[in-house]
Amino acid sequence: MRQPIQISSEFIEENTNFLELINELRKVFNSNSITVPQRHHHDFPNPKTGKDSTLLLMPAWNAGKEAGVKIVTVNPGNDTFGLPSIQGSYLYLDAITGTLKAIMEAKSLTAKRTAAASALASSYLSKKNATSMLMIGTGTLSVNLIKAHASVRPIEQVFVWGRNLKKTEEISQTLSKEKYEVKAIASIDEKISEVDIISCATLSENPLIFGEKLVSGQHVDLVGAYKPNMREADNEAILKTSVFLDTYGGGLKESGDIAVPLKEGILKESDIKADLFGLCGETHIGRTDDMEITLFKSVGHALEDLAAATYYYSKFQK
């Protein structure tokens, strides 16, 4: 029996072209060929850290072609052990025989596909001439989100804020050779009302983005806060923006940024403009004018994982 190939995080890091990956996601969101069941989402206590861990199982298949399942744990207390909060693997399968074709490192794959999905949304929702960006958060996603957004918009300046100033400065150093300037800032308020794109990827339980600070023409990209008790934006931000989701299935209930306003009656499901299926299928045009404030909430989708896994498997086979 042929052994599955191993695709490492190093391979994924070295073989990502965000424009290519974004285009792959655009194609699958405009296709009805991939089946995605509701993902399994299980929280369990972690007595060592005092913070609950989460087990995610995310299957998807393209009948007669490929299939896969991502197995991920999210452990907010992993900084105690000097480890990233996200751990996991992606099992890539032949959908005809069921054989395991590849095992991929899921942390890098998740970061790349998540950033690509945000940039895909931005290609419909941010102003075409957006030149500035605020990145809130300093985790694995931050560098990827900056690179992905810069691949679809002419970004010239990026400001980075995080609770750990050292990590913020490390991101600036990591991106020092890019075509855009990256600067660490001491507070969100310094730049939030001045930039064209605001991207937020944190595990915050309390809002970091406040509607009173948002100004006409901005695009808000919410990527973190993956649980109903987490928030990255307050109710005023939701009221002030045109809201879009990656998918209705997960976006309506998995994150507090949408679930709480829905529960409180601040937001109605009918108020949500579209998801990525609607945007990529062109049933909604996205941004309507340069004054509109748009907001995209991402919780992740197994379709994105399968598309990314197929992308990296094809690269590995060349």
Side-chain angles (χ1 to χ4, degrees):
M1 181 178 175
R2 184 179 178 183
Q3 293 298 307
I5 62 174
Q6 303 281 334
I7 299 181
S8 66
S9 59
E10 289 77 16
F11 180 87
I12 291 171
E13 290 293 333
E14 293 169 5
N15 290 275
T16 300
N17 178 307
F18 272 114
L19 281 178
E20 291 177 354
L21 183 54
I22 291 164
N23 189 51
E24 291 303 311
L25 292 186
R26 195 187 310 274
K27 286 191 289 188
V28 295
F29 273 109
N30 191 30
S31 167
N32 294 318
S33 62
I34 296 178
T35 300
V36 180
Q38 186 67 37
R39 70 178 172 185
H40 289 249
H41 186 131
H42 305 284
D43 296 331
F44 57 93
N46 189 330
K48 287 283 186 179
T49 64
K51 298 178 180 179
D52 282 359
S53 294
T54 301
L55 171 66
L56 299 170
L57 304 176
M58 303 172 69
W61 58 84
N62 187 351
K65 294 185 179 180
E66 60 274 339
V69 59
K70 186 170 72 174
I71 303 172
V72 168
T73 57
V74 184
N75 309 278
N78 266 10
D79 54 346
T80 305
F81 310 111
L83 294 170
S85 59
I86 298 173
Q87 302 286 327
S89 297
Y90 193 86
L91 308 183
Y92 187 62
L93 309 166
D94 184 309
I96 297 174
T97 64
T99 54
L100 181 59
K101 296 167 73 173
I103 300 173
M104 304 184 192
E105 196 280 325
K107 182 170 68 71
S108 293
L109 182 141
T110 301
K112 301 300 183 188
R113 66 80 152 147
T114 302
S118 281
L120 174 60
S122 182
S123 72
Y124 295 99
L125 302 177
S126 64
K127 292 187 297 185
K128 287 182 170 55
N129 62 348
T131 58
S132 57
M133 175 180 176
L134 169 61
M135 183 69 240
I136 300 172
T138 56
T140 303
L141 271 171
S142 56
V143 168
N144 290 291
L145 283 162
I146 293 167
K147 288 182 175 181
H149 278 288
S151 74
V152 297
R153 291 294 183 253
I155 301 298
E156 298 174 357
Q157 284 188 311
V158 179
F159 303 97
V160 184
W161 177 87
R163 290 188 173 92
N164 186 318
L165 183 59
K166 182 180 178 182
K167 287 186 178 180
T168 308
E169 292 170 345
E170 286 174 357
I171 290 171
S172 299
Q173 184 61 37
T174 298
L175 297 171
S176 61
K177 294 182 180 179
E178 299 295 332
K179 61 183 179 180
Y180 39 83
E181 178 187 10
V182 182
K183 181 181 179 182
I185 58 175
S187 73
I188 294 172
D189 285 352
E190 279 184 49
K191 293 295 177 180
I192 192 168
S193 300
E194 300 177 14
V195 296
D196 297 313
I197 296 172
I198 303 160
S199 186
C200 190
T202 72
L203 298 175
S204 180
E205 295 183 0
N206 300 298
L208 298 167
I209 297 171
F210 297 92
E212 64 180 8
K213 300 291 184 180
L214 300 180
V215 299
S216 297
Q218 289 183 311
H219 171 58
V220 181
D221 173 41
L222 303 181
V223 184
Y226 64 96
K227 289 183 180 181
N229 67 327
M230 293 178 170
R231 295 290 298 269
E232 290 186 314
D234 71 348
N235 284 346
E236 188 175 345
I238 299 299
L239 283 170
K240 200 171 180 178
T241 60
S242 298
V243 178
F244 297 79
L245 306 175
D246 54 353
T247 65
Y248 282 98
L252 290 174
K253 59 185 179 180
E254 291 192 17
S255 170
D257 283 315
I258 303 298
V260 172
L262 283 172
K263 184 178 180 180
E264 295 178 353
I266 299 296
L267 180 71
K268 300 192 295 291
E269 187 173 334
S270 59
D271 293 330
I272 297 169
K273 303 298 183 182
D275 63 3
L276 282 176
F277 289 103
L279 290 172
C280 295
E282 298 183 350
T283 59
H284 194 289
I285 63 170
R287 173 176 288 274
T288 56
D289 58 60
D290 282 352
M291 299 301 290
E292 184 179 17
I293 308 175
T294 55
L295 182 147
F296 175 69
K297 176 59 197 175
S298 169
V299 296
H301 195 254
L303 176 150
E304 300 164 9
D305 294 313
L306 184 58
T310 302
Y311 171 75
Y312 290 115
Y313 184 80
S314 297
K315 288 256 183 181
F316 194 89
Q317 293 294 88
K318 290 180 179 178

